[in-house]
Amino acid sequence: MVRGRKIEAVRMLTRYIQAAMRDAKYEMLDDKTFYGSISGFEGVWANESTLEACRQELQDVLEDWILLGVSLNHELPIVNGIELKYSEDRSLTLAAR
């Protein structure tokens, strides 16, 4: 039963990350590097030499930002109607609005 809850938590987290990444915005800067950010996720940004590297770095930063936010009991943004919450017993829940 515990294993099933862990798998479901990973799936929920993956859906949340995918939804946030769909909202990412990218631009090429004057120095020809790529800058990416996600609205609503303060401090989540990346700057890399290629668009693909920027996307990957942005996702890595987002994942770390989410894990830090959960560990500090921060409220996470709702993304495309998807709300990632955690209960007092530290289990993750995903709610669609």
Side-chain angles (χ1 to χ4, degrees):
M1 187 68 162
V2 171
R3 184 173 186 269
R5 282 189 291 192
K6 286 182 181 180
I7 291 171
E8 184 57 29
V10 169
R11 287 182 184 147
M12 288 186 290
L13 187 56
T14 298
R15 280 183 269 173
Y16 185 84
I17 290 167
Q18 289 170 341
M21 289 300 294
R22 282 192 294 273
D23 288 342
K25 303 290 186 236
Y26 301 94
E27 62 181 287
M28 183 182 281
L29 302 178
D30 292 338
D31 65 359
K32 305 294 185 210
T33 62
F34 291 87
Y35 173 83
S37 62
I38 306 170
S39 180
F41 289 83
E42 188 177 338
V44 175
W45 60 273
N47 181 236
E48 293 290 336
S49 60
T50 67
L51 181 57
E52 188 54 39
C54 187
R55 283 186 183 127
Q56 185 58 56
E57 179 65 16
L58 185 62
Q59 183 169 327
D60 291 346
V61 171
L62 174 63
E63 290 170 0
D64 290 344
W65 188 91
I66 291 168
L67 292 174
L68 179 63
V70 167
S71 71
L72 296 174
N73 295 323
H74 289 176
E75 188 172 319
L76 301 175
I78 298 170
V79 180
N80 293 335
I82 300 171
E83 185 175 13
L84 186 64
K85 289 185 154 188
Y86 44 93
S87 62
E88 289 182 22
D89 69 356
R90 309 288 292 167
S91 63
L92 291 172
T93 59
L94 188 70
R97 288 185 160 195

